[in-house]
Amino acid sequence: KIYFLFLVSIITLFNLNVYALDNTDIHSNEAMVVRMSDDSVLFHKNTNNGMVPIASLTKLMTYAVVIDNMPNLSEQIVVPDGLVTYMKSRGASRAGLVEGYSYSALDLLYGMMVPSGCDAAEALAIHIGNGDSSVFVNMMNQKALELGMNNTYYVDSYGIGTATEDNMSTEEDLYKLIKYVYNLPYFKQIISTEYYDILGYKDNNSITSTVRNTNYLMGDYDGDDYYYPYSIGGKTGNLDVAGKCLITIANKNGVEIVAITLGVPYESGSNYDYNLRDNILLLDYGFNNYTENI
């Protein structure tokens, strides 16, 4: 009996809530933090109770479909004429690609994930779709169904959407996706990269575009006010209709957790960095309140 009480005391000690958090602390409309080892949801806020726009978090699925369909990531892909011009006209984030130049599929994955390059995502989609990116989008939606993401659909490869439709998902579905892509080739390496040189070639000419990671929770940047030492990396998303979105994977003492936030109003001023603050609050909450395999 004494031995049993001792075990109960130890378990209680290690699971004691030492860091409180409630919905009013989180500015994002949707938020979730999950322990990856057993899929335990440690905190969950859901304002909309349904699908919401996800902006460039779309590119996580683009990554998955590219890996499924391109076994040789050294393959060279030519950026089609008009692609970069179109992305500029839409105000899309870009990886500095140049039309007519060829890039390896791996460099395009870096260009898509590190600076959230819409030009890189669509170049990959057009290539795999044999010139038709809508074919690639159909593959994205099929992959979502395979992963059990039943409240998700995609309308493009890069996250901006159309005049009438947006890429939509839920934080629960996005967790399924991030856990899947986390173990795909090169993913951990790419999302943990701070800076990367993308190399393009055309005839005897070469060009370099240096890109920087858009997730300020990782990397030793100038003015790194939100640097989070346990962050492995993740994916950002920013769009008027979606607000600011962020997924961050972190590892502390071998415990890996994922923070997902959606829907911080996209505006300057006091709300500008709430997505970063929310991720830090969620990650700290997860690490400070829960341990693994006591």
Side-chain angles (χ1 to χ4, degrees):
K1 183 175 180 180
I2 294 173
Y3 179 71
F4 173 76
L5 291 174
F6 173 75
L7 286 178
V8 171
S9 299
I10 293 295
I11 293 172
T12 302
L13 172 65
F14 278 95
N15 286 278
L16 182 65
N17 284 336
V18 297
Y19 184 93
L21 189 67
D22 60 43
N23 285 358
T24 60
D25 298 318
I26 302 298
H27 294 85
S28 302
N29 288 327
E30 330 294 321
M32 188 165 72
V33 60
V34 186
R35 187 171 57 207
M36 295 182 75
S37 62
D38 58 3
D39 303 328
S40 295
V41 177
L42 310 179
F43 178 88
H44 192 197
K45 174 185 177 181
N46 188 329
T47 301
N48 294 289
N49 295 312
M51 294 186 292
V52 295
I54 57 170
S56 283
L57 300 185
T58 296
K59 297 182 176 91
L60 293 168
M61 181 58 78
T62 304
Y63 192 99
V65 176
V66 169
I67 294 297
D68 279 354
N69 292 275
M70 291 203 70
N72 179 16
L73 295 179
S74 298
E75 183 177 343
Q76 293 290 308
I77 296 172
V78 177
V79 177
D81 291 340
L83 173 58
V84 176
T85 302
Y86 174 72
M87 292 300 172
K88 288 180 179 178
S89 72
R90 300 204 66 186
S93 53
R94 303 186 306 278
L97 306 185
V98 179
E99 294 171 3
Y101 276 71
S102 66
Y103 301 82
S104 71
L106 182 59
D107 268 16
L108 290 177
L109 287 175
Y110 272 96
M112 178 178 73
M113 298 299 295
V114 175
S116 197
C118 296
D119 48 355
E122 189 69 348
L124 287 161
I126 291 171
H127 178 78
I128 293 174
N130 292 317
D132 185 354
S133 61
S134 67
V135 172
F136 185 89
V137 173
N138 289 336
M139 298 164 74
M140 294 171 69
N141 286 310
Q142 181 60 41
K143 189 68 177 180
L145 292 176
E146 291 176 12
L147 296 177
M149 298 170 62
N150 298 318
N151 294 303
T152 298
Y153 71 87
Y154 300 99
V155 297
D156 64 33
S157 67
Y158 48 91
I160 293 183
T162 68
T164 57
E165 291 185 295
D166 295 294
N167 299 277
M168 306 287 288
S169 191
T170 64
E171 59 274 24
E172 294 89 350
D173 275 6
L174 288 169
Y175 173 69
K176 295 175 183 177
L177 177 57
I178 193 69
K179 188 169 184 180
Y180 175 77
V181 298
Y182 187 56
N183 294 307
L184 293 181
Y186 294 101
F187 186 79
K188 294 177 189 177
Q189 175 181 323
I190 291 175
I191 64 170
S192 64
T193 298
E194 298 176 45
Y195 294 90
Y196 188 78
D197 290 335
I198 300 172
L199 303 179
Y201 302 93
K202 182 179 180 180
D203 300 328
N204 295 320
N205 299 317
S206 63
I207 190 169
T208 301
S209 173
T210 301
V211 295
R212 188 183 83 169
N213 201 306
T214 56
N215 185 356
Y216 291 166
L217 266 66
M218 51 82 55
D220 188 16
Y221 302 118
D222 293 336
D224 53 356
D225 296 335
Y226 298 101
Y227 171 64
Y228 194 77
Y230 307 113
S231 175
I232 296 171
K235 186 70 194 75
T236 58
N238 299 297
L239 197 64
D240 286 348
V241 68
K244 289 198 167 188
C245 308
L246 181 60
I247 296 178
T248 302
I249 303 171
N251 183 314
K252 183 179 181 181
N253 298 327
V255 178
E256 291 181 327
I257 61 176
V258 177
I260 301 171
T261 56
L262 310 173
V264 170
Y266 191 76
E267 56 188 70
S268 60
S270 61
N271 290 344
Y272 182 73
D273 52 10
Y274 275 151
N275 60 327
L276 301 173
R277 298 184 201 178
D278 284 356
N279 267 244
I280 291 173
L281 283 173
L282 291 167
L283 294 170
D284 280 344
Y285 178 80
F287 285 133
N288 290 336
N289 285 273
Y290 300 93
T291 67
E292 204 168 32
N293 300 324
I294 299 304

